[in-house]
Amino acid sequence: MAKNIQSLERAAAMLRLLAGGERRLGLSDIASSLGLAKGTAHGILRTLQHEGFVEQDAVSGRYQLGAELLRLGNSYLDVHELRARALVWTDDLARSSGESAHLGVLHQQGVLIVHHVFRPDDSRQVLEVGAMQPLHSTALGKVLSAYDPVAHTEALEAERRSFTPRTVTDPEEFETMLDLIRARGWAADVEETWEGVAAVAAPIHDRRRMPVGAVAVTGAVERVCADGELRPELIAAVRDCARAVSRDLGARPF
Amino acid sequence: MTDAHTTGPFIAAIDQGTTSSRCIVFDKDGRIVSVDQKEHEQIFPKPGWVEHNATEIWENVQEVVAGAIVKAGITAADVKAIGITNQRETTLLWDKNTGEPVHNALVWQDTRTDALCKELGRNVGQDRFRRETGLPLASYFAGPKVRWLLDNVEGLRERAERGDILFGTMDSWVIWNLTGGTDGGVHVTDVTNASRTLLMNLHTLAWDDKILASMEIPAAVLPEIRSSAEVYGTAKGGVLDGVPVASALGDQQAALFGQTCFSEGEAKSTYGTGTFMLMNTGETPVNSYNGLLTTVGYRIGDQKPVYALEGSIAVTGSLVQWMRDQMGLIKSAAEIETLASSVEDNGGAYFVPAFSGLFAPYWRSDARGVIAGLTRYVTKAHIARAVLEATAWQTREITDAMTKDSGVELAALKVDGGMTSNNLLMQTLADFLDAPVVRPMVAETTCLGAAYAAGLAVGFWPDTDALRANWRRAAEWTPRMAADTRDREYKSWLKAVERTMGWLEDSTVEE
């Protein structure tokens, strides 16, 4: 059996020592409780402090657990929170693009639609909240696969069905496409899932730059594309929207 | 905002609200170009008393107007009109020679006039002025607040009778200052704000001499009552110097206008901490026998006034906050939907949040909150579901009352406010009302309503049809619940409501 890493064991022991109630301990208390030299204990504490797992009180110099530990335990972003934050921006996206806007998150092996803003014309439309979309062929799914490693694994391991002649199913081609998406910062689906339908999507990040979802505009291919190319102003609008939502979630400017 | 806008012209709307003042610049399509906002202090001198510093508010208004104009990258020349919307009923008296408020503004939530209202009811009770004003004698409304100030600020009554003192709700205060203040400011209010004073006759749209006499309020302090959409004057000084000030609407009426509820029977409901629902009842005021208020919806220029029925729910968003802050069952307000969605139904539990009694249509101050139907089976997720259902059932009760009073069936409900981001709530609402629930694309319907009214007054938009054409549906929830399920659930809800009543035994409030 491989030997455990000693400094990690010591760090874990320190965190346990500081846990439980409102505990603040000085360097010498920590060092003596764990039977460590002060210098060794200080080195570990400084590293933990740098990672945000431990904080040092400015006045007393004593150590306590850091806020980052709490965040680790609560890192899951509620999708309804995401919708509430995105509401204003996705309304504006639909309005400025003239197409419907969707917000999607990874759920099991697909994209779960958590928010949908109607195309701003007077046509009858059905709310698609709660619907699932495939990961490998839709703009939302491709963005998630490109940025979220879990989505990436799901997309690679799942059966990638061919919905139209344009669906990318070959694993190597799929990876090349994801590289391009990461390089450009957005993904497209031009009749790769539904005939006659095109979409553009961009990733939403939280304050730790973790990909938490994606936003897309979707419409008839003849409106979303012009002269065989995606309309650049639509791409810009989607990316602006994704950035605005990310900013609302606390992500620093790109 | 996400893309380049057309290069004007624009309308600037000022929303002088309860917690903050905002200015939003709109373009011709009714899209938001820029926003600026600043909160002001809530002053609580005693339990139940709530005041605002009106000087601070005016400074904030000037600041947010400048902020929004700068953010939009435009000048006064690009702005065709200024519209005003405001927290309703909040009452201010100021000296017209110095422009100084004589006291902090008394905020609508302030209950210091409770006893005075009872006294004013004499032997008739709280409906003494209902026929003339459409309102019960309650502490929200401005008239009794004016009387309290006249009685309690030393020497004020003499100054008021001499004609040195002006009264206004926040629309009047903002307009007077915008148009020059002591240097020729116009002293006006609009019909919607005046309809919340308990001093205006709903039928004549004029101050009611008899009520003024009963409340001992000198007519000299009163602003001129004007329509909601006309040019009252032009801005003097500041970044919008020379721009016409062309609309004023109380916030809930502004939302009705912004939702383009221009036809009889159209209704909007705003879901915030509490909920306010207004239904357009056309050109005649409808008396309510089911606990609703009758109010002016709006009046455009010299056209006939449009009236509305109003029902409010005291506890809606605040119940979700209570679940988060007091019960600790959720970490954020949005999480209520996650928790509630984890179960298929309420598990037999019903939550009636009569925290401070039952409001419309019951008006029972002896009621207190109840969670009914508990069994071993019920989990916190069922309670979360019951929390959302409480908002939906209370809306149903108000729509039922509106139908009874007006004889008009609700065709669809237009919704706005923070809680519209809750998808489960919106679906539940459609299910319980058995009517489609529609959310518009611009969430800021209050400011939009003020902008629309101002734009109409200066010809920026030709008519209400043009405004309707601007309205965009962002989402629509259609009823999916079987009729027998709905009926059975409604019956259970009503049983739960019954169980809240009579909890307080020595209620001092007359029924």
Side-chain angles (χ1 to χ4, degrees), chain B residues 45-356:
Chain B
K46 288 185 187 183
W49 291 27
V50 190
E51 300 179 356
H52 289 161
N53 177 341
T55 306
E56 180 192 5
I57 284 180
W58 169 237
E59 281 165 6
N60 288 0
V61 166
Q62 289 170 282
E63 219 172 285
V64 296
V65 168
I69 297 301
V70 167
K71 281 186 194 170
I74 59 176
T75 66
D78 303 312
V79 180
K80 290 300 150 205
I82 305 166
I84 317 280
T85 178
N86 56 291
Q87 49 169 323
R88 302 179 302 174
E89 298 125 12
T90 296
T91 301
L92 184 71
L93 293 176
W94 71 93
D95 187 313
K96 75 172 179 190
N97 306 307
T98 64
E100 297 288 332
V102 301
H103 190 275
N104 279 335
L106 306 191
V107 179
W108 57 276
Q109 299 135 321
D110 189 301
T111 54
R112 77 185 68 182
T113 55
D114 267 345
L116 176 62
C117 285
K118 234 166 262 152
E119 189 190 314
L120 288 169
R122 298 239 204 100
N123 49 352
V124 187
Q126 63 171 11
D127 282 340
R128 183 175 169 205
F129 303 124
R130 193 186 264 271
R131 207 150 39 118
E132 295 86 352
T133 65
L135 309 173
L137 262 165
S139 62
Y140 298 114
F141 305 113
K145 292 186 199 288
V146 177
R147 164 71 179 271
W148 188 93
L149 287 166
L150 291 170
D151 287 352
N152 288 278
V153 177
E154 213 190 315
L156 188 59
R157 183 169 287 281
E158 292 71 38
R159 288 162 72 193
E161 276 161 5
R162 272 205 311 270
D164 289 334
I165 299 297
L166 302 180
F167 150 70
T169 38
M170 298 319 282
D171 54 317
S172 303
W173 172 242
V174 170
I175 293 170
W176 188 79
N177 278 295
L178 264 180
T179 54
T182 52
D183 181 17
V186 293
H187 186 220
V188 296
T189 187
D190 94 299
V191 282
T192 68
N193 278 296
S195 77
R196 316 296 293 190
T197 57
L198 266 172
L199 304 174
M200 187 188 78
N201 186 303
L202 269 184
H203 306 270
T204 61
L205 301 182
W207 301 118
D208 189 298
D209 291 333
K210 276 192 197 144
I211 300 177
L212 289 176
S214 313
M215 286 203 201
E216 296 170 36
I217 293 174
V221 302
L222 300 172
E224 186 188 345
I225 301 174
R226 304 277 285 267
S227 79
S228 323
E230 64 175 285
V231 177
Y232 309 122
T234 53
K236 203 177 267 185
V239 288
L240 291 180
D241 186 51
V243 177
V245 181
S247 78
L249 289 150
D251 50 12
Q252 297 306 325
Q253 281 89 341
L256 185 77
F257 208 85
Q259 286 271 27
T260 68
C261 293
F262 299 133
S263 301
E264 193 175 333
E266 286 191 297
K268 72 91 202 175
S269 199
T270 302
Y271 291 90
T273 323
T275 289
F276 291 89
M277 181 167 166
L278 270 75
M279 181 195 253
N280 180 327
T281 61
E283 290 170 1
T284 42
V286 172
N287 284 327
S288 178
Y289 300 97
N290 293 286
L292 305 173
L293 307 181
T294 310
T295 198
V296 180
Y298 58 89
R299 181 182 194 181
I300 303 169
D302 50 16
Q303 294 176 24
K304 285 193 174 161
V306 169
Y307 293 90
L309 278 170
E310 173 173 326
S312 53
I313 309 171
V315 180
T316 51
S318 55
L319 181 58
V320 176
Q321 288 165 4
W322 181 85
M323 287 285 280
R324 181 192 63 196
D325 301 337
Q326 255 94 330
M327 293 295 105
L329 288 175
I330 44 173
K331 289 197 296 285
S332 71
E335 237 183 86
I336 190 86
E337 187 175 354
T338 312
L339 186 55
S341 302
S342 67
V343 287
E344 287 297 310
D345 55 32
N346 59 21
Y350 298 82
F351 195 152
V352 188
F355 290 165
S356 44

Side-chain angles (χ1 to χ4, degrees), chain A residues 11-12 14-15 43-54:
Chain A
M14 276 180 194
L15 292 176
I44 296 171
L45 279 168
R46 218 179 43 214
T47 310
L48 287 172
Q49 194 182 353
H50 181 75
E51 293 296 330
F53 293 155
V54 159

Side-chain angles (χ1 to χ4, degrees), chain A residues 7-8 24-26 29 32 34 52 74 80 116 139 163 170 201-202 222 227 233 241 246 251:
Chain A
S7 56
L8 279 178
R24 285 182 181 182
L25 295 171
D29 297 333
S32 62
L34 300 178
N74 295 322
H80 301 109
H116 171 198
F163 300 108
D170 174 73
E222 54 271 24
D227 307 322
E233 66 271 24
C241 177
S246 301

Side-chain angles (χ1 to χ4, degrees), chain A residues 76-79 82 103-114 131-136 138 140-156 158 204 211-215:
Chain A
Y76 164 73
L77 175 72
D78 190 285
V79 298
L82 178 62
L103 199 64
V105 298
L106 174 70
H107 180 68
Q108 292 164 356
Q109 285 82 46
V111 183
L112 174 69
I113 301 300
V114 296
M132 292 290 291
Q133 288 187 0
L135 270 178
H136 69 282
T138 61
L140 288 171
K142 285 196 267 185
V143 163
L144 292 175
S145 304
Y147 286 90
D148 181 346
V150 181
H152 183 236
T153 313
E154 295 288 357
L156 279 182
I204 295 169
V212 289
V215 62

Side-chain angles (χ1 to χ4, degrees), chain B residues 323 329 339-340 342-351 370-387 389 489:
Chain B
M323 287 285 280
L329 288 175
L339 186 55
S342 67
V343 287
E344 287 297 310
D345 55 32
N346 59 21
Y350 298 82
F351 195 152
V370 151
I371 302 177
L374 293 180
T375 60
R376 280 290 292 270
Y377 172 75
V378 170
T379 66
K380 64 178 179 178
H382 293 117
I383 302 293
R385 197 131 187 145
V387 160
E389 291 184 356
E489 287 294 309

